[in-house]
Amino acid sequence: MRTSDLLYDLLAKVSEVGRSLSSLSERAAGASPEALAGLCQDLLTGRGEATGLALARQILERVKVLSTAERAAFFEALRTRFGVNPERLRRAVERWQAEPSDEAARALHAAAEPRAQELIRQLNRVPGATATLVAMRRDLIRAMAENPGLRGLDEDFRHLFGSWFNRGFLELRTIDWSTPAAILEKIIRYEAVHAIADWDDLRRRVAAPDRRLYAFFHPALTQEPLIFVEVALTEAIPSAIGPILTEERPELAPKRATTAVFYSISNCQEGLRGVSFGNFLIKQVVEDLQAEFPGLRTFVTLSPVPGLRAWALEHAVGEEQAMVEALESDKAVAAEALAPLAARYLVEARHPRGGALDPVARFHLGNGARLEQINTGADTSERGRRNAWGVMVNYLYDLDHIEKNHEAYAEEGAIATASQVRRLLKSRRTAASA
């Protein structure tokens, strides 16, 4: 073929791709949720590389400008159109039943995968798409409040995110006063446990010599922290949050510190809910702190108890009920009365799917920590009083027993408790039987 003919064919193909891209742009602009789901169907038909990427980009751009109602309708369309193909699955099951080979098992596995997962993969081929997909799942989670039937689609997102955001991809960074202002602003905004009042408050948390803040980042979201933990270096296990956060506190020379206190852990991306980072974060931070400060011997949290008040209002019995009524009337209650109630909640109240009922307890106990100490009057903030009448808890990460505690909790639901917590439970049972 002559050079001129080759050039003509090439120009014709470029022109064809251009017309196709223009058509896709016209179809995506102003597309209804159902029509947008149709474009998703087109994406899965296996278009050419350039056309497929352009179509995926158009879909993502259009999803960004959908209204809340349109977005909910779009998610419903995805749920109904991109589930498991029942006929394909039936054939794969029959093949497995006829000949249960490795090849047949793999085919069955592929047939059982909802088509939504492949759609999400195709969308993620667009540069920068991961952040958009995380935001899309955030909106999906919110839509599930009105439409629980979307849970299956949410599972498809979470399944893929669990692979895309596994520990091997995560980067631990120390956040300090030299960190770019854009990231520091997000730390202020994302702090979920103890609000950061202003830039001076942030500086006390990241620039003081006896304070550290660590965050996980992902290569696809380089300017977006996924989760961060704030650490105070102290000489003893703290029993209240006030002395840690107050601006009048005396700074401690790090070489004198014997205890690292994890006093705030904040998940930053709502769209990554259910994707676990915290267990990796704690373990990595412990290693980094040990390397920087060899004198550290104790690793402990100062944690909120977010579910205590709601649980006690429903489950308090006997003398506990009178105490709860007093607390609700803002009357003073003796620590020796409130602490046993908190111990009962943390150790005996169980989640329907197993493990501790309290979400913070479930997180730390699942990581192998021990319920070390219950502190009344520890958090006098509005949130602290509203959630737990000011109660906070220390969970101890004993490096020699983390694995044993984790296995006992995971396999038997056994909660590792310090002797002082066991005494609180015993005193409560004695009082109840008297």
Side-chain angles (χ1 to χ4, degrees):
M1 184 179 291
R2 293 177 302 174
T3 301
S4 58
D5 293 334
L6 288 172
L7 180 59
Y8 176 82
D9 287 346
L10 177 60
L11 290 174
K13 290 179 180 178
V14 169
S15 178
E16 180 181 352
V17 170
R19 287 194 299 273
S20 179
L21 295 180
S22 177
S23 174
L24 291 174
S25 180
E26 292 173 0
R27 291 173 63 196
S32 68
E34 188 64 33
L36 201 55
L39 292 179
C40 292
Q41 180 67 51
D42 291 345
L43 181 62
L44 291 185
T45 59
R47 290 177 175 270
E49 181 76 13
T51 306
L53 283 174
L55 178 54
R57 184 178 292 108
Q58 293 287 348
I59 292 169
L60 292 172
E61 290 301 318
R62 175 57 186 150
V63 168
K64 288 180 182 178
V65 298
L66 291 175
S67 68
T68 300
E70 288 174 328
R71 197 171 289 116
F74 174 63
F75 291 142
E76 177 61 19
L78 295 186
R79 182 191 73 81
T80 57
R81 296 178 62 161
F82 295 94
V84 175
N85 184 319
E87 179 58 27
R88 182 187 178 201
L89 180 60
R90 183 188 63 78
R91 292 195 302 268
V93 170
E94 291 176 348
R95 179 183 176 188
W96 162 257
Q97 291 174 332
E99 183 184 355
S101 63
D102 181 71
E103 183 181 356
R106 292 178 182 277
L108 177 58
H109 175 77
E113 180 181 276
R115 297 173 66 237
Q117 292 188 21
E118 180 57 25
L119 172 64
I120 297 167
R121 293 190 192 98
Q122 291 290 331
L123 293 173
N124 197 48
R125 294 170 62 211
V126 176
T130 304
T132 303
L133 290 171
V134 170
M136 190 185 299
R137 183 174 179 243
R138 175 202 63 205
D139 296 333
L140 174 61
I141 290 171
R142 295 174 182 176
M144 283 196 300
E146 299 294 330
N147 183 1
L150 295 173
R151 194 170 304 280
L153 179 61
D154 180 65
E155 286 295 329
D156 294 329
F157 273 93
R158 188 165 69 168
H159 171 75
L160 293 174
F161 287 174
S163 297
W164 298 351
F165 289 88
N166 72 56
R167 175 63 186 94
F169 293 116
L170 303 184
E171 174 194 357
L172 184 70
R173 299 185 200 168
T174 301
I175 305 298
D176 55 31
W177 204 237
S178 66
T179 298
I183 293 178
L184 292 176
E185 287 177 348
K186 290 172 182 175
I187 295 296
I188 294 175
R189 185 166 74 248
Y190 290 143
E191 165 59 60
V193 184
H194 304 293
I196 299 174
D198 50 33
W199 285 93
D200 288 336
D201 190 5
L202 177 65
R203 182 164 189 156
R204 288 191 292 272
R205 301 194 195 194
V206 302
D210 56 350
R211 294 292 182 266
R212 293 291 184 274
L213 194 153
Y214 302 89
F216 266 150
F217 290 80
H218 187 276
L221 291 85
T222 57
Q223 301 302 303
E224 283 286 343
L226 306 181
I227 185 174
F228 62 85
V229 59
E230 297 172 65
V231 184
L233 303 179
T234 67
E235 293 181 289
I237 296 177
S239 59
I241 192 63
I244 289 177
L245 298 180
T246 181
E247 58 184 293
E248 287 85 15
R249 69 172 187 84
E251 291 182 357
L252 178 70
K255 65 181 180 180
R256 292 177 50 196
T258 61
T259 303
V261 183
F262 308 111
Y263 66 90
S264 180
I265 301 175
S266 297
N267 284 292
C268 306
Q269 307 300 322
E270 186 181 351
L272 293 176
R273 182 190 301 176
V275 181
S276 178
F277 308 115
N279 53 345
F280 301 120
L281 179 65
I282 294 290
K283 293 172 183 176
Q284 185 66 60
V285 167
V286 167
E287 291 181 11
D288 285 18
L289 286 169
Q290 282 185 312
E292 186 177 3
F293 305 109
L296 293 177
R297 295 291 181 267
T298 304
F299 298 89
V300 68
T301 77
L302 182 59
S303 301
V305 193
L308 173 60
R309 178 171 171 265
W311 174 86
L313 287 171
E314 183 176 351
H315 294 92
V317 295
E319 293 182 359
E320 292 174 340
Q321 289 179 314
M323 179 184 63
V324 167
E325 291 173 2
L327 288 166
E328 289 295 282
S329 301
D330 290 328
K331 295 178 181 178
V333 171
E336 56 267 25
L338 180 53
L341 176 65
R344 184 164 81 88
Y345 165 65
L346 291 165
V347 177
E348 298 179 359
R350 296 304 176 107
H351 193 277
R353 292 195 296 270
L357 179 62
D358 187 81
V360 176
R362 196 159 57 246
F363 170 77
H364 290 295
L365 296 170
N367 285 345
R370 181 175 77 201
L371 178 54
E372 185 70 10
Q373 184 171 293
I374 294 173
N375 309 298
T376 59
D379 184 359
T380 58
S381 69
E382 180 182 351
R383 175 185 288 181
R385 296 194 306 272
R386 182 176 67 247
N387 289 343
W389 298 301
V391 174
M392 298 190 78
V393 173
N394 302 117
Y395 296 98
L396 178 71
Y397 281 85
D398 185 336
L399 304 185
D400 293 331
H401 295 89
I402 283 179
E403 287 304 319
K404 181 181 72 174
N405 292 343
H406 164 74
E407 291 174 5
Y409 181 77
E411 295 174 9
E412 306 167 17
I415 294 177
T417 55
S419 58
Q420 56 187 317
V421 176
R422 293 194 293 272
R423 284 195 296 271
L424 288 173
L425 289 169
K426 183 178 180 181
S427 69
R428 188 262 165 194
R429 293 180 186 125
T430 299
S433 63

